[in-house]
Amino acid sequence: DGGITQSPKYLFRKEGQNVTLSCEQNLNHDAMYWYRQDPGQGLRLIYYSQIVNDFQKGDIAEGYSVSREKKESFPLTVTSAQKNPTAFYLCASSSTGTGGSEQYFGPGTRLTVT
Amino acid sequence: GENVEQHPSTLSVQEGDSAVIKCTYSDSASNYFPWYKQELGKRPQLIIDIRSNVGEKKDQRIAVTLNKTAKHFSLHITETQPEDSAVYFCAALTSGTYKYIFGTGTRLKVLA
C-alpha cells in the first residue's frame, strides 16, 4: 500500500471533542502533508512538513494542529475550533530531492462529527 | 498566490474515444507537474508526471504535454476504457518549495 498508513479508516466524534488522526510512513520521506477533501471537491492543504520539528500552515489550517517529532509520523489534531470538521482526510509524503517527486497518499480517514 | 485551474470539471466520452484534460498554472517557477487518478472512496494515485525540461511524456495510452510559455499542461487519454472512469487531478510544484498546488479535479465518465 505504498508504505504510508492512516488510522482509523472511519472515525466518529461528538461536536466539541478534539480528535487526532494518525499518519505513518516507512518510505524514508522527509516531506509529509495533510489534505482535506469534501464530497465532489478537490484536495485542500491543511499543513505540511519538510523536515522533523518543522511544519507550515497550508490554505485551511484554522482549527487544526500538527506535530512532527519523528520522521515517520505526522499526526493531525482536529480541534473543537474547526467549524465543519466532517470530511475525508488524506495524508501524503514525498521525498525532497530537486526537481520534484511523486506524492504517496495514505488510504484516508473519513471523519464524521455529529 | 499560486493557483492551478483545471478544465473541464466533468467529461463524458464514449468508450474508445480520447479524453483531454487541461490545466493552467500561475507560478512560472513551477517545475514539476504530476497527474493523479482517484477512484471513488480511494486514495489518489500518480498516473504520469512531467518536469519542466520536457515538453511531452507518454506511457501507453496516457500522455502529458507541457507548454511552459503559456503555462499550460494537459493530460491525454487515448482509447478510453470504462476503468478509466475516475476523478483526475493535476498539480504543480514550485521549485525550491515542497507545496503542491492541486487543480479542482475532473470527473471522467467513459460510457460503454
Side-chain angles (χ1 to χ4, degrees):
Chain A
D1 284 344
I4 181 165
T5 58
Q6 292 183 244
S7 61
K9 188 172 182 179
Y10 298 96
L11 191 53
F12 298 89
R13 281 293 184 270
K14 293 291 186 185
E15 202 173 299
Q17 293 179 332
N18 291 355
V19 59
T20 297
L21 281 58
S22 167
C23 178
E24 303 279 332
Q25 54 98 1
N26 62 3
L27 300 168
N28 200 33
H29 286 164
D30 284 312
M32 296 188 73
Y33 306 80
W34 274 105
Y35 295 93
R36 170 182 171 141
Q37 189 172 36
D38 293 287
Q41 303 297 312
L43 302 170
R44 293 190 289 169
L45 182 64
I46 305 172
Y47 271 97
Y48 63 109
S49 167
Q50 300 168 16
I51 198 166
V52 174
N53 292 324
D54 188 37
F55 48 82
Q56 289 77 39
K57 292 182 179 180
D59 302 316
I60 56 165
E62 186 174 351
Y64 300 97
S65 66
V66 293
S67 63
R68 187 82 188 278
E69 297 176 0
K70 298 187 300 181
K71 187 175 185 177
E72 303 79 18
S73 179
F74 192 41
L76 173 74
T77 297
V78 184
T79 75
S80 56
Q82 168 51 233
K83 298 302 180 191
N84 187 19
T86 294
F88 187 49
Y89 291 87
L90 285 160
C91 179
S93 71
S94 70
S95 65
T96 52
T98 56
S101 64
E102 175 183 0
Q103 280 189 310
Y104 291 83
F105 286 85
T109 292
R110 195 167 297 278
L111 174 65
T112 302
V113 177
T114 58
Chain B
E2 312 97 330
N3 184 48
V4 173
E5 292 187 1
Q6 183 172 346
H7 298 282
S9 56
T10 61
L11 179 60
S12 292
V13 298
Q14 290 292 328
E15 183 177 359
D17 286 352
S18 295
V20 180
I21 303 170
K22 299 180 179 181
C23 288
T24 303
Y25 59 98
S26 60
D27 190 344
S28 56
S30 297
N31 66 342
Y32 175 68
F33 308 92
W35 284 91
Y36 290 87
K37 175 183 180 182
Q38 186 180 28
E39 297 177 357
L40 190 63
K42 301 286 183 67
R43 73 185 84 187
Q45 292 193 300
L46 183 79
I47 54 171
I48 196 166
D49 57 11
I50 192 167
R51 289 183 166 76
S52 58
N53 60 345
V54 175
E56 183 174 359
K57 183 177 178 180
K58 192 172 182 180
D59 183 4
Q60 300 182 342
R61 297 187 296 109
I62 295 172
V64 55
T65 58
L66 172 65
N67 181 332
K68 285 194 298 181
T69 303
K71 293 191 280 187
H72 288 170
F73 59 113
S74 299
L75 177 71
H76 305 254
I77 306 174
T78 59
E79 301 172 19
T80 54
Q81 301 166 3
E83 51 264 39
D84 294 329
S85 296
V87 178
Y88 292 81
F89 292 99
C90 64
L93 177 67
T94 297
S95 176
T97 77
Y98 303 101
K99 184 179 177 182
Y100 295 75
I101 309 299
F102 280 84
T104 50
T106 296
R107 183 172 301 277
L108 174 65
K109 295 181 184 177
V110 180
L111 307 171

